Amino acid sequence: MSGTKGGQLMREAYQASPIYSFFMFCFALIANVTMMGVLGGLLVQTIKKVADAEEEEKRIIGNLAIMDDFWTHVVESDEDNDGYIVREEFFNLISQQETLKILKKMDVDPETLITLSDFMFEENKGRLSQQTFNQWVLDLRATQKGTLKDHYVTRKFMKAKLTEIFSAAPQ
């Protein structure tokens, strides 16, 4: 109702009845305020999403730097100097106080790490490379959201364990 057509429409409504022009004015006012609210809400949501993405990116970069320090710590515990961590080295590593501090800094629960270590080492033939180890630890952060992949890995783990249990049971 803006421009020359809006003025003419309001005059015609007023000529028919002044109450019509009042309702037309209220409708135009409410419609414009509603649209401004919707656009304002979209703008706020967009800014929030961008801020969340930037914060997550910053957190990931920080965690990667911590992981590099952590891997340096892991390499110091690598008894055979092959660039991989095996189960025994992992348990020696996890028992050190400095390791627990690093995990806490990354918001990773050491108990969860220990609980899932059997599965991770079985999946990776008894040893973890730097990339696999880093990804595993980063996936176990408390701030990490569950994904479909996580459910698939859990299903695969449960199936493997049940198969192991049933194959060991007497027939």
Side-chain angles (χ1 to χ4, degrees):
M1 288 189 23
S2 63
T4 57
K5 292 182 182 179
Q8 182 181 352
L9 181 66
M10 289 297 285
R11 278 191 289 280
E12 288 177 14
Y14 187 77
Q15 286 174 355
S17 173
I19 194 80
Y20 290 156
S21 65
F22 174 74
F23 285 138
M24 291 290 291
F25 177 75
C26 289
F27 171 77
L29 184 66
I30 290 171
N32 285 321
V33 169
T34 302
M35 287 306 296
M36 286 189 326
V38 168
L39 292 175
L42 286 173
L43 181 63
V44 167
Q45 285 299 322
T46 302
I47 291 171
K48 182 178 184 269
K49 291 284 185 191
V50 169
D52 289 345
E54 288 175 351
E55 184 179 323
E56 180 65 20
E57 181 181 354
K58 192 169 144 183
R59 188 178 310 125
I60 288 171
I61 290 170
N63 279 338
L64 289 175
I66 293 170
M67 281 304 297
D68 287 339
D69 293 342
F70 190 37
W71 186 254
T72 303
H73 183 66
V74 169
V75 169
E76 292 170 2
S77 300
D78 189 6
E79 296 166 0
D80 52 5
N81 293 321
D82 63 351
Y84 290 89
I85 183 168
V86 295
R87 189 178 314 227
E88 294 78 25
E89 294 170 344
F90 172 75
F91 284 115
N92 290 338
L93 179 71
I94 206 78
S95 65
Q96 298 173 10
Q97 192 64 31
E98 185 177 340
T99 303
L100 298 176
K101 286 179 187 176
I102 293 171
L103 290 174
K104 182 175 175 123
K105 197 186 299 184
M106 290 187 316
D107 202 20
V108 175
D109 181 26
E111 286 183 34
T112 305
L113 210 59
I114 292 168
T115 303
L116 295 176
S117 65
D118 288 339
F119 174 69
M120 279 307 292
F121 283 108
E122 283 178 27
E123 285 289 306
N124 293 284
K125 298 177 180 75
R127 60 190 213 157
L128 300 174
S129 66
Q130 178 180 2
Q131 181 181 1
T132 305
F133 183 75
N134 287 354
Q135 189 61 49
W136 177 47
V137 172
L138 288 174
D139 284 345
L140 292 177
R141 291 176 294 156
T143 55
Q144 190 72 8
K145 295 178 181 170
T147 63
L148 186 60
K149 178 187 171 203
D150 296 329
H151 293 289
Y152 174 75
V153 170
T154 303
R155 181 181 164 272
K156 188 175 176 184
F157 172 74
M158 291 302 294
K159 184 178 179 184
K161 286 296 178 185
L162 288 172
T163 302
E164 182 182 313
I165 289 170
F166 287 130
S167 65
Q171 298 286 333

